[in-house]
C-alpha cells in the first residue's frame, strides 16, 4: 500500500496537469469559461436561499449564511463523487494506451474540486464580512484541519467509486441519485433541533457528511470551536475511507484494461 502511495507521488506533474485540465477544460469554448466553476454553485446556493427564505420561511437567523456555510463543503463533496466516480471510464483510452498509476485520475478530479471549494470559502468570508456576524479566530484555526479531513474523506470514497465503475457502469448513475437524496438528510438547510423525530435524528447521525457539515457550521456560522467528539468521528471516518478506498482501488485497478 505504501509503495503504491509513493508511486503516485512520483507522478505529481501529471496530477497537476490533469487537475488544470479538469478546471479549465470542462467549459472550454464558452464565453465565461473558467468562471462557470463558481457561477454554477453560487446560483445553486442562491436558489436554496430563495426557496427556504421566501417560500418555506425557515426561521433561522442569517439563514443565507447558514446555507452558504453548509453548501460550500457539500458542493465539494457531491461534485467530487459525481465527477470522480466516472473518471476511469471517461479516460479509458488513456488508461489503455500508457502506464501510470490509475489513482492519478480520481485524485486530480478531487484536487480540482478542492480548488473550487477554497475559492468558494473566500466568497463565504466576503459574505460574513458584509453580514457583520464576525469571525472567531480561535475557531478559524480549526478550518484548515477541517478542510484536510473533508478532502481525504471525499478522496477515499471517490477512489472506491472510481475503482468500481469500470466493472459496474451503473455506479455513476447511482451516485447521482444518492447525492440527490443525501443532501436532504444532512443539516444543510435546517438545524438539528428543528425536528423532534428520533428516527430522523438517527438518519442524520448515520449520514457521514453530517459531521463535516456540523464542523463547517460551527466554525463559520456559530463562530465556535467544533465539538471534540464531532472532530474525532470525522477523523475516524476519514481514516476508514482512505484505508478502504486506497486498498480497494489498488486491488481493482489491475483488471481495468480488460474491462474497459
Amino acid at each position: 500500500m505504501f509503495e503504491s502511495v509513493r508511486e503516485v507521488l512520483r507522478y505529481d506533474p501529471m496530477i497537476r496537469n490533469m487537475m488544470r485540465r479538469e478546471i479549465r477544460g470542462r467549459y472550454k469554448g464558452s464565453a465565461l469559461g473558467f468562471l462557470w466553476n463558481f457561477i454554477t454553485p453560487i446560483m445553486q446556493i442562491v436558489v436554496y436561499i430563495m426557496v427556504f427564505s421566501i417560500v418555506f420561511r425557515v426561521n433561522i437567523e442569517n439563514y443565507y449564511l447558514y446555507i452558504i456555510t453548509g453548501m460550500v463543503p457539500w458542493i465539494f463533496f457531491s461534485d467530487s463523487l459525481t465527477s470522480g466516480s466516472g473518471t476511469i471510464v471517461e479516460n479509458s483510452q488513456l488508461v489503455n494506451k500508457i502506464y501510470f498509476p490509475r489513482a492519478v485520475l480520481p485524485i486530480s478530479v478531487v484536487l480540482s474540486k478542492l480548488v473550487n471549494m477554497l475559492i468558494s470559502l473566500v466568497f463565504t468570508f466576503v459574505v460574513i464580512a458584509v453580514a457583520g456576524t464576525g469571525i472567531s479566530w480561535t475557531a478559524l484555526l480549526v478550518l484548515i484541519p477541517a478542510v484536510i479531513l473533508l478532502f481525504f474523506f471525499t478522496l477515499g470514497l471517490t477512489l472506491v467509486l472510481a475503482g468500481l465503475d469500470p466493472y459496474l457502469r451503473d455506479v455513476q448513475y447511482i451516485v447521482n441519485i444518492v447525492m440527490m437524496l443525501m443532501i436532504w438528510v444532512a443539516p444543510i438547510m435546517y438545524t438539528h433541533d428543528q425536528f423532534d423525530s428520533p428516527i430522523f435524528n438517527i438518519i442524520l447521525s448515520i449520514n457521514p457528511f453530517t459531521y463535516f457539515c456540523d464542523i463547517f457550521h460551527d466554525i463559520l456560522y456559530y463562530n465556535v470551536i467544533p465539538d471534540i467528539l464531532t472532530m474525532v468521528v470525522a477523523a475516524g471516518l476519514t481514516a476508514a475511507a482512505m484505508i478502504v478506498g486506497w486498498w480497494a482501488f489498488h486491488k481493482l485497478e489491475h483488471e481495468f484494461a480488460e474491462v474497459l
Side-chain angles (χ1 to χ4, degrees), residues 171-224:
V171 166
Q172 293 182 65
Y173 308 110
I174 294 171
V175 170
N176 285 325
I177 294 171
V178 170
M179 290 299 103
M180 284 192 292
L181 296 173
M182 197 173 177
I183 190 174
W184 300 109
V185 288
I188 299 171
M189 270 78 73
Y190 51 81
T191 60
H192 284 270
D193 56 7
Q194 278 189 263
F195 301 96
D196 296 327
S197 170
I199 295 176
F200 191 76
N201 288 325
I202 291 172
I203 294 172
L204 276 181
S205 64
I206 292 173
N207 182 355
F209 183 77
T210 294
Y211 300 95
F212 296 94
C213 186
D214 287 344
I215 290 170
F216 278 82
H217 274 148
D218 285 343
I219 296 170
L220 299 172
Y221 179 78
Y222 293 110
N223 295 323
V224 297

Side-chain angles (χ1 to χ4, degrees), residues 78-150:
S78 177
D79 284 358
S80 295
L81 265 61
T82 52
S83 298
S85 60
T87 187
I88 302 297
V89 173
E90 290 167 4
N91 292 278
S92 57
Q93 291 185 342
L94 186 64
V95 170
N96 287 325
K97 284 182 179 179
I98 63 173
Y99 172 78
F100 63 95
R102 306 321 189 202
V104 163
L105 295 172
I107 289 172
S108 62
V109 170
V110 180
L111 280 171
S112 70
K113 303 305 179 184
L114 177 64
V115 172
N116 291 346
M117 184 179 73
L118 294 177
I119 297 176
S120 297
L121 282 173
V122 174
F123 166 75
T124 304
F125 288 127
V126 172
V127 174
I128 291 172
V130 172
T133 56
I135 295 175
S136 168
W137 296 103
T138 305
L140 200 60
L141 293 174
V142 189
L143 184 60
I144 293 176
V147 169
I148 292 171
L149 286 176
L150 179 60

